[in-house]
Amino acid sequence: MNRIFGRGKPKAPPPNLTDCIGNVDGRVESVDKKIARLDVELVKYKDQMKKMRDGPSKNMVKQKAMRVLKQKRMYEGQRDNLMQQSFNMEQTNYSIQSLKDTKTTVDAMKVGLKDMKKAYKHVKIDQIEDLQDQLEDMMEDANEIQEAMGRSYGTPDIDEDDLEAELDALGDELLMDDDSSYLDEAATAPSIPEGLPGDKSTNRDGVLVDEFGLPQIPAT
């Protein structure tokens, strides 16, 4: 059958805004290049006119410059038109892409909601509340057990006034222990004998003392 009727031509892909924008931008660049070449010619003609005197030759150069200027204006109009078309297509493409992104987001939210509903079916609020109550009761029981285990046995009843009096007396005893008067007494004690047995020496009062610092008894 294909030999008789031939094969149908493959369908061309649908137009793509991104490709269209690229083509239009390429045309804008081409027009800009043409405008740049015309600017070079205009500068050349302008320099020639400055160096020429008024007359037919100058008028001829002026006519060429006017013709180039008209072409430049025409290309500038085409460029502006193409740039506006490119801008409009970009705005349209942006809107289409935003709608696609919105649809994707909504689809994802629907899937998430469906999964949430499935998971929520396995969660019972009453069971959670019962579990919390049971945990609270167990914590209270644990605290009571700790208090019972920490209870003291055979501790006599002691009057708080007696405890306060003993505490005050304990403070006085500590102050007495801090007394340093014994250091002064040690400073005034007799010095340690330094001489050998049999050596004679005198103390600060001029009294003859033995090696132990004791007053000597005069021999009779």
Side-chain angles (χ1 to χ4, degrees):
M1 296 296 292
N2 292 331
R3 294 179 180 178
I4 298 174
F5 298 100
R7 294 182 179 180
K9 294 182 179 180
K11 294 182 179 179
N16 188 355
L17 279 178
T18 303
D19 296 338
C20 293
I21 293 171
N23 293 333
V24 172
D25 290 341
R27 294 174 62 187
V28 170
E29 293 179 0
S30 177
V31 173
D32 283 335
K33 292 179 181 179
K34 293 179 180 180
I35 293 174
R37 288 197 297 268
L38 294 177
D39 286 335
V40 173
E41 292 185 15
L42 286 174
V43 171
K44 182 181 67 175
Y45 291 146
K46 187 176 181 180
D47 292 338
Q48 290 180 0
M49 292 173 60
K50 289 180 180 179
K51 299 177 182 179
M52 297 175 67
R53 297 179 179 180
D54 294 338
S57 298
K58 186 176 182 179
N59 291 333
M60 185 180 299
V61 175
K62 185 177 180 180
Q63 291 296 327
K64 292 181 180 179
M66 293 292 293
R67 184 175 66 253
V68 172
L69 185 59
K70 288 180 180 179
Q71 293 178 359
K72 179 183 175 182
R73 294 289 178 84
M74 180 186 65
Y75 285 134
E76 287 177 346
Q78 293 178 359
R79 181 190 61 186
D80 295 340
N81 188 15
L82 291 173
M83 292 177 65
Q84 186 63 41
Q85 292 180 16
S86 177
F87 175 77
N88 292 336
M89 287 188 292
E90 286 179 353
Q91 291 296 107
T92 303
N93 194 21
Y94 174 79
S95 299
I96 293 172
Q97 190 62 40
S98 298
L99 290 174
K100 290 181 179 179
D101 294 340
T102 302
K103 183 179 181 302
T104 302
T105 303
V106 172
D107 294 339
M109 293 175 65
K110 289 180 179 179
V111 174
L113 180 60
K114 186 177 180 181
D115 294 339
M116 186 180 295
K117 289 181 178 180
K118 289 181 179 179
Y120 189 75
K121 291 180 180 179
H122 301 286
V123 178
K124 302 297 182 181
I125 299 298
D126 297 337
Q127 294 179 357
I128 295 175
E129 292 179 352
D130 293 339
L131 180 61
Q132 291 292 336
D133 293 338
Q134 292 177 11
L135 290 173
E136 185 177 0
D137 293 338
M138 292 180 65
M139 292 299 296
E140 292 179 357
D141 294 340
N143 292 331
E144 293 178 358
I145 293 173
Q146 293 297 327
E147 291 178 359
M149 295 297 294
R151 188 179 302 168
S152 58
Y153 302 96
T155 303
D157 295 334
I158 301 175
D159 191 1
E160 292 185 0
D161 295 335
D162 295 340
L163 291 176
E164 291 181 0
E166 184 178 353
L167 182 61
D168 294 337
L170 181 62
D172 296 336
E173 292 177 0
L174 292 176
L175 291 175
M176 291 176 65
D177 293 339
D178 292 339
D179 187 9
S180 61
S181 59
Y182 66 92
L183 296 176
D184 297 335
E185 295 177 358
T188 58
S191 59
I192 299 173
E194 298 177 356
L196 297 174
D199 292 344
K200 296 181 179 179
S201 60
T202 58
N203 58 11
R204 288 178 295 182
D205 297 332
V207 178
L208 191 64
V209 295
D210 57 11
E211 66 273 12
F212 298 103
L214 301 175
Q216 292 185 1
I217 300 174
T220 54

